[in-house]
Amino acid sequence: MNVVVFDLETTGLSPEKDGIVEIGAVRIVDGEIAGHLKYETLVRPTNAQGDTMRIPWHAQRVHGISDEMVRAAPTIHDVLPEFLEFVADSPVVAHNVGFDGGFMRVNARRLGLNWQPPAELCTVQLSRRAFPGERAHNLTVLAERLGLEFAPGGRHRSFGDVQVTAQAFLHLMERLQRVS
């Protein structure tokens, strides 16, 4: 089991209108989280025309990333080629991969790059299969259900969420293999 677990923080919910403000990722190699194989960066958000965007207060309230924090950060134009190189030809995992993958596809297309991992696995969907009687499958609830903890200040920051998502992914895969 070799995958890249990734998470994005953004200025909003629309891949077409909003920008990426942080990317975090870690590799799982042979079923083990390879903490030394990680990718983490803040991103100065830009719109479709490449102009810097402000981070709305409602987004700042969720992830705590401010305009000041990203002022000197690279833009997605600089970051995305590096991140795609990090991912290479690995399958990817995210909690709600449709959201994060949507932002990756839109930004890659804008930059003339290709976001086509061989597989996109979703821990929300895996959680629904592993816990069919449960209604909530957000990352906080899933972490509690699996006995996982976020590092202090880690929730709603890309790398903090990635660490828990990677652990959750391994737990969910093990649980699903036992029941099948």
Side-chain angles (χ1 to χ4, degrees):
M1 182 184 324
N2 298 308
V3 299
V4 171
V5 182
F6 79 106
D7 182 72
L8 307 177
E9 299 302 332
T10 65
T11 62
L13 302 176
S14 170
E16 296 292 339
K17 297 177 185 171
D18 293 305
I20 296 170
V21 297
E22 189 175 42
I23 301 174
V26 67
R27 283 190 169 280
I28 294 177
V29 179
D30 297 329
E32 302 273 331
I33 298 169
H36 65 288
L37 299 175
K38 66 180 185 173
Y39 186 91
E40 182 179 17
T41 187
L42 287 169
V43 181
R44 184 166 29 101
T46 55
N47 61 21
Q49 293 74 38
D51 301 322
T52 297
M53 301 173 64
R54 295 188 57 84
I55 303 171
W57 67 270
H58 56 85
Q60 287 184 46
R61 213 172 64 200
V62 172
H63 50 57
I65 300 169
S66 67
D67 291 325
E68 179 68 28
M69 292 169 68
V70 298
R71 182 168 288 127
T75 65
I76 197 69
H77 184 272
D78 298 316
V79 168
L80 195 53
E82 287 178 3
F83 181 64
L84 293 176
E85 189 174 314
F86 177 80
V87 171
D89 60 352
S90 299
V92 295
V93 175
H95 195 76
N96 192 1
V97 76
F99 177 83
D100 296 284
F103 270 87
M104 295 306 294
R105 271 186 287 289
V106 166
N107 281 277
R109 185 179 65 239
R110 283 182 186 156
L111 298 174
L113 301 171
N114 192 19
W115 172 259
Q116 279 192 315
E120 292 184 358
L121 304 167
C122 182
T123 52
V124 172
Q125 295 302 319
L126 293 172
S127 178
R128 287 182 177 141
R129 285 182 34 216
F131 302 102
E134 300 292 339
R135 292 176 47 124
H137 297 278
N138 67 60
L139 191 55
T140 300
V141 169
L142 181 58
E144 289 172 9
R145 192 173 290 142
L146 296 173
L148 306 174
E149 292 186 19
F150 291 90
R155 182 67 178 112
H156 291 298
R157 289 300 303 267
S158 288
F159 199 69
D161 285 357
V162 156
Q163 290 172 310
V164 170
T165 301
Q167 293 173 56
F169 174 72
L170 292 173
H171 283 281
L172 290 167
M173 293 303 288
E174 182 181 310
R175 182 180 178 93
L176 290 167
Q177 285 176 347
R178 282 195 314 254
V179 295
S180 56

